[in-house]
Amino acid sequence: MTSDTHAPCRKPGSADSPAIPAQQSHPRHAGGLVGFNAASPSEAVALLLTCCHSARWAERVAAHRPYPTVDALLAAADEAGYDLSRADLDEALAAESSALPHPDAPPAARTALRAAHAAYESSFGHAFVISLDGVRPGERLDQVLAGIRSRLGNEAEEERVVAAEELRRLARARLAFRLAEVLTPRHSEL
């Protein structure tokens, strides 16, 4: 399962209006929207690929810079996410991986999660993706297990639609987190 990545996943401030750190004068070292807008095309695409591994999605979002606000950037990321072709979605899903539960999770929970991920991947051919934005850390494991169990009953095309929406939500949350990141990324665990 993949979760949002900022504090599993990314959750600076609110997902709709993340707080952006103060900007520095040199674009290469600037964070937030100013740094993203000032980055070279290849740097912007590289950052975007950490949010959603679809080259077409990343290139499309990067090509429309500069963005006047974070909300405008996130809206553009959403729009590009809605427009992923089948091949784009396959590319993005292939780069996702199943996250492990927190190391302190009970062994039975770790075993259950591994088994659920294996069943999902066997059924659908890609890692389970779910956005956990807004889910409290103590509830993430249960949310993931419940999500896998409920989605295992989906037909392949129905699950593709659900996975595409979860991937879009993940990309948005990851991007908001990357813009708010100051020094080093925080990785989330269940």
Side-chain angles (χ1 to χ4, degrees):
M1 146 215 110
T2 301
S3 66
D4 6 26
T5 64
H6 73 324
C9 243
R10 355 335 155 162
K11 297 162 199 165
S14 83
D16 294 324
S17 300
I20 302 303
Q23 307 302 314
Q24 299 173 0
S25 60
H26 191 279
R28 193 168 252 288
H29 299 290
L33 185 61
V34 170
F36 178 74
N37 281 337
S40 72
S42 63
E43 289 172 328
V45 167
L47 178 133
L48 290 164
L49 286 172
T50 69
C51 302
C52 177
H53 201 79
S54 163
R56 182 173 167 265
W57 177 87
E59 290 165 1
R60 179 175 171 185
V61 175
H64 289 92
R65 293 175 306 140
Y67 290 96
T69 65
V70 170
D71 286 340
L73 170 57
L74 296 176
D78 279 347
E79 183 180 332
Y82 287 123
D83 292 340
L84 291 177
S85 70
R86 185 174 202 75
D88 297 330
L89 181 58
D90 288 344
E91 176 187 29
L93 288 172
E96 296 293 330
S97 61
S98 299
L100 298 175
H102 190 279
D104 295 336
R110 297 173 67 79
T111 299
L113 187 60
R114 279 193 299 274
H117 278 299
Y120 180 92
E121 290 174 20
S122 175
S123 293
F124 299 109
H126 58 80
F128 177 74
V129 292
I130 187 170
S131 174
L132 297 175
D133 217 21
V135 177
R136 290 183 290 179
E139 298 173 357
R140 290 187 177 127
L141 179 60
D142 290 339
Q143 186 75 25
V144 171
L145 286 169
I148 293 173
R149 288 181 184 134
S150 71
R151 289 168 53 186
L152 274 170
N154 290 347
E155 295 295 324
E157 285 307 309
E158 179 183 15
E159 179 55 23
R160 194 170 183 71
V161 170
V162 173
E165 175 61 15
E166 290 296 325
L167 186 65
R168 184 196 60 74
R169 292 179 59 216
L170 275 170
R172 178 188 177 88
R174 288 170 177 166
L175 181 54
F177 177 68
R178 296 292 188 278
L179 292 175
E181 237 173 3
V182 178
L183 298 174
T184 59
R186 290 176 277 171
H187 299 285
S188 68
E189 298 174 2
L190 294 178

